[in-house]
Amino acid sequence: MSDFKARTIYQIYPKSFHDSNGDGIGDLKGITEKLDYLQSLGIEYLWITPFFTSPQKDNGYDVADYRNIDTLFGTMKDFEELVEEAKLRGIGIMLDMVFNHTSTEHEWFQKALAGDQYYKDFYIFKDGKPGTPPTNWVSKFGGSAWEYVSAFNQYYLHLFDKTQADLNWENKNVRKELVNVLKFWMDKGVKGFRFDVVNLISKPEKYADDHEGDGRRFYTDGPKVHDYLKELCHESGLNDDGMVTVGEMSSTTIDNCIRYSNPKEKELSMCFNFHHLKVDYKDQQKWILRNCDFMALKKLLNDWQLGLQEGNGWNALFWCNHDQPRIVSRFGDDKQYHKESAKMLASMIHFLRGTPYIYQGEEIGMTNAYFEHIEQYRDVESINYFKILKKEGKKEEDIYRILQERSRDNSRTPMQWDDSPYAGFSENEPWIEVTGNYKEINVKNSAVEPDSILDYYKKLVRLRKEYKVISDGSYIPILLDHESVFSYKRTYDSQTLIVINNFYGTETEVELEGNMEGYQCILSNYESRDPINRLILKPYESLTFLKNE
Ligand code: NOJ
């Protein structure tokens, strides 16, 4: 288990990472070409989002063949080379398994549509008349979660886009197929898996209207989800092989995450939860803007740290991924305090109990895209919501403001490698525009800049390997009532760590309790400081003190 406690995982969205063949789309060879860079960061696992055969309606989260590589991204040989080359650099590859649904172009769904009952049972078909779906559940991408098939006078369930049909996990044959998919990739030498929205796989026995919400309470952490995960991991030998596994857990609870990740349960290594990334949603709604509720954020981080610690669960620590806006634009200040706030936000989570994830470009402080026209957007969810919000009567300028803050495309713009045209991502026009600030914010500049954000991330990765207190220590909250500082202690044997983060761009004062003798400042985003009890923190200042006796 300790294998992944001291390690940091790097996430790659292949379409936007590096294009090796000049078609404007990132590919597997492109990742291989950048392995030395990734090794220099010190990371030991790469989670790569789906590159399997897919019509790309949801950028690969609509898989049409789990065992093949989409020609957009390369060939199986390219993949095998990537695994090999990564291994030489001490990096394990983690694949992204989308097992809640398949693309409607998957052979199974096509056979189902052709009337083959064996494959119809792979999906969730329910009776219903045109215009009256079986339930009022809402798809996560907007609109009804049911699509009508006139040939059967039935609907099929899709919790996401209508081209992503939900699999019927009740069917043992489905579960067997998925175990075999895992075995196939384990034989190719992959070292772990991320499971997409995996806490949605178990649907309720009865399908009924939700009069309180959009239906999610019926299938989130559903009735048999723990049994299914135990079976999946056991049958594929995932646990015996010491693989790293992480489940993406939509709207989950602390108690369920303890069960998902407590080693005794033999389910997963750790969980992603998203509650801390909804503190700027109004009434849990992504498409209504609101400022970050810092006290709510503190409470959530703290509750999850303490809750999982108590139940011996394990958390994935993250701010960014391919579905979230860039954190420096979201909770930091990507203009006046770009460097300071990016570093503070990094410290805030990297020293917590759990395994940290870095999303491509986060380590150089990449910002939101600030696109101004709908034609610049590519994401199915953003485009759907543009239409929905327009229909609701919202003004276009307001919709653009929302998209500029909330669209998933904010994190999907090409990785900024240098200041050449297309940011060194590709030699030709990329599938999605490069963010306008690439001439200043890029890897090439970061590599020579003193005190760069990149350098800071390297230190964070290194410190986690160096000190047991970071990888294995207990978490103790401090300054819980402070209205602008997130601070905590970690303890392990004779080591104690104190982490102090000013979340805002204004000075603030903190008073630390206890004797500060013996502490030294091991990381700071301004100059180093003496460990004293009373400190006036600068805007976005982050300080980490260590006592190592
Ligand atoms: C979560 C993935 O992260 C997201 O990108 C995708 O659209 C949905 N799951 C559906 O697979």
Side-chain angles (χ1 to χ4, degrees):
M1 173 120 180
S2 62
D3 203 24
F4 52 79
K5 290 186 174 176
R7 297 181 175 185
T8 302
I9 300 178
Y10 190 90
Q11 184 197 347
I12 288 187
Y13 197 66
K15 214 168 175 181
S16 304
F17 189 64
H18 181 49
D19 172 19
S20 73
N21 62 359
D23 63 358
I25 296 172
D27 45 47
L28 295 177
K29 264 189 193 295
I31 302 176
T32 308
E33 285 174 8
K34 296 294 182 185
L35 282 172
D36 288 340
Y37 166 74
L38 295 167
Q39 186 185 22
S40 76
L41 262 174
I43 56 95
E44 283 162 286
Y45 288 105
L46 275 188
W47 150 31
I48 309 176
T49 64
F51 46 77
F52 314 108
T53 308
S54 159
Q56 303 290 325
K57 294 280 193 282
D58 186 20
N59 280 343
Y61 283 95
D62 46 329
V63 180
D65 182 350
Y66 290 107
R67 289 186 176 78
N68 266 308
I69 295 189
D70 198 295
T71 49
L72 280 182
F73 298 110
T75 62
M76 192 58 86
K77 194 166 154 279
D78 296 341
F79 177 73
E80 285 160 0
E81 246 169 55
L82 169 61
V83 172
E84 212 38 54
E85 289 295 319
K87 191 172 166 202
L88 291 175
R89 292 165 179 82
I91 298 175
I93 302 292
M94 291 168 73
L95 297 190
D96 202 328
M97 291 293 141
V98 191
F99 284 172
N100 176 66
H101 45 265
T102 72
S103 162
T104 47
E105 288 188 22
H106 195 290
E107 192 190 354
W108 302 337
F109 194 80
Q110 288 300 310
K111 286 187 172 159
L113 275 190
D116 183 333
Q117 193 56 44
Y118 180 82
Y119 287 104
K120 241 187 117 188
D121 287 344
F122 271 42
Y123 297 91
I124 300 165
F125 280 92
K126 297 279 172 204
D127 293 342
K129 296 196 179 73
T132 320
T135 68
N136 64 351
W137 299 359
V138 180
S139 146
K140 310 236 177 219
F141 290 163
S144 169
W146 297 96
E147 184 70 9
Y148 185 64
V149 181
S150 57
F152 306 144
N153 204 15
Q154 281 184 323
Y155 284 79
Y156 66 86
L157 180 70
H158 61 88
L159 295 182
F160 293 87
D161 190 55
K162 64 175 184 220
T163 62
Q164 294 164 296
D166 278 52
L167 282 166
N168 173 19
W169 275 70
E170 287 282 318
N171 183 343
K172 176 88 189 149
N173 295 325
V174 168
R175 306 203 300 272
K176 261 196 203 149
E177 288 279 0
L178 300 178
V179 164
N180 288 336
V181 169
L182 293 181
K183 286 187 176 162
F184 174 86
W185 290 107
M186 283 159 75
D187 282 349
K188 297 230 169 259
V190 310
K191 291 289 172 216
F193 297 102
R194 178 250 190 201
F195 293 103
D196 188 61
V197 289
V198 76
N199 65 327
L200 310 185
I201 55 178
S202 170
K203 310 298 191 280
E205 226 169 81
K206 284 206 182 99
Y207 284 73
D209 276 350
D210 186 353
H211 299 296
E212 289 169 29
D214 59 8
R216 72 181 62 193
R217 69 198 171 99
F218 295 135
Y219 54 74
T220 300
D221 300 318
K224 296 194 192 145
V225 63
H226 293 286
D227 300 334
Y228 290 155
L229 279 175
K230 283 187 172 73
E231 181 189 276
L232 184 80
C233 296
H234 176 73
E235 305 270 309
S236 57
L238 261 182
N239 292 331
D240 317 336
D241 262 10
M243 296 276 198
V244 178
T245 50
V246 55
E248 187 200 25
M249 304 300 179
S250 172
S251 308
T252 187
T253 61
I254 293 179
D255 286 345
N256 272 298
C257 282
I258 291 172
R259 292 180 67 189
Y260 292 129
S261 63
N262 182 319
K264 269 208 225 135
E265 297 286 333
K266 297 198 182 334
E267 293 183 24
L268 304 173
S269 316
M270 65 188 107
C271 303
F272 284 116
N273 83 81
F274 297 88
H275 299 285
H276 66 298
L277 294 173
K278 293 182 181 165
V279 292
D280 53 358
Y281 289 9
K282 191 155 184 272
D283 307 327
Q284 295 282 310
Q285 292 196 54
K286 170 169 174 171
W287 302 99
I288 308 181
L289 297 182
R290 201 188 71 170
N291 285 340
C292 168
D293 180 344
F294 176 61
M295 293 314 273
L297 174 65
K298 267 180 85 157
K299 182 168 171 11
L300 278 164
L301 290 175
N302 190 51
D303 287 353
W304 277 79
Q305 282 289 303
L306 289 175
L308 288 203
Q309 174 162 281
E310 208 171 293
N312 200 22
W314 197 250
N315 235 338
L317 306 169
F318 72 107
W319 287 127
C320 302
N321 67 28
H322 60 289
D323 295 329
Q324 299 291 333
R326 293 285 181 180
I327 198 62
V328 70
S329 305
R330 185 176 187 179
F331 294 165
D333 176 343
D334 63 10
K335 293 177 183 71
Q336 195 182 349
Y337 293 109
H338 178 242
K339 255 191 186 181
E340 293 81 0
S341 62
K343 292 178 183 178
M344 181 279 294
L345 288 162
S347 276
M348 205 167 142
I349 57 165
H350 274 249
F351 290 123
L352 286 173
R353 181 178 175 278
T355 296
Y357 286 69
I358 302 173
Y359 176 65
Q360 65 185 45
E362 179 185 340
E363 74 278 18
I364 54 165
M366 275 179 64
T367 68
N368 279 351
Y370 298 110
F371 288 156
E372 288 176 336
H373 299 287
I374 193 65
E375 291 73 32
Q376 292 171 287
Y377 287 92
R378 297 286 174 270
D379 171 32
V380 57
E381 183 195 40
S382 306
I383 294 167
N384 281 354
Y385 269 96
F386 182 79
K387 290 181 199 147
I388 292 171
L389 296 174
K390 240 180 131 170
K391 233 183 180 171
E392 285 172 6
K394 273 221 154 41
K395 282 200 253 141
E396 263 200 16
E397 61 191 89
D398 292 338
I399 305 178
Y400 280 126
R401 265 199 45 233
I402 298 174
L403 286 180
Q404 283 175 0
E405 286 202 28
R406 296 287 148 90
S407 168
R408 307 194 297 180
D409 281 337
N410 283 311
S411 54
R412 297 176 179 187
T413 58
M415 178 72 181
Q416 293 165 203
W417 293 103
D418 59 37
D419 57 2
S420 64
Y422 311 127
F425 161 74
S426 175
E427 288 182 354
N428 289 303
E429 196 182 339
W431 68 279
I432 185 168
E433 272 175 46
V434 176
T435 297
N437 54 27
Y438 73 94
K439 293 211 166 154
E440 294 84 51
I441 301 175
N442 61 57
V443 171
K444 195 171 154 213
N445 282 352
S446 304
V448 291
E449 195 184 355
D451 299 328
S452 64
I453 301 170
L454 180 62
D455 208 45
Y456 197 86
Y457 268 86
K458 286 184 186 172
K459 282 186 191 141
L460 288 169
V461 175
R462 181 165 48 72
L463 286 169
R464 176 165 281 267
K465 293 187 215 180
E466 233 167 79
Y467 295 107
K468 278 270 189 197
V469 69
I470 303 172
S471 57
D472 292 66
S474 310
Y475 166 88
I476 303 161
I478 51 176
L479 300 172
L480 262 184
D481 296 328
H482 200 296
E483 288 188 356
S484 45
V485 171
F486 182 67
S487 190
Y488 50 92
K489 260 191 195 180
R490 306 284 314 278
T491 59
Y492 184 87
D493 286 348
S494 55
Q495 295 178 351
T496 310
L497 193 80
I498 298 180
V499 187
I500 307 160
N501 298 291
N502 177 6
F503 194 75
Y504 289 102
T506 43
E507 283 191 351
T508 190
E509 187 175 332
V510 289
E511 178 85 43
L512 300 171
E513 281 176 9
N515 186 352
M516 293 301 289
E517 237 171 80
Y519 281 93
Q520 50 160 332
C521 182
I522 57 162
L523 194 65
S524 144
N525 58 353
Y526 286 84
E527 65 285 351
S528 177
R529 293 264 221 137
D530 288 337
I532 49 172
N533 292 89
R534 176 176 238 129
L535 291 159
I536 311 280
L537 298 177
K538 300 188 179 81
Y540 296 108
E541 184 164 7
S542 174
L543 291 165
T544 302
F545 297 122
L546 173 77
K547 188 159 76 174
N548 192 7
E549 284 169 347

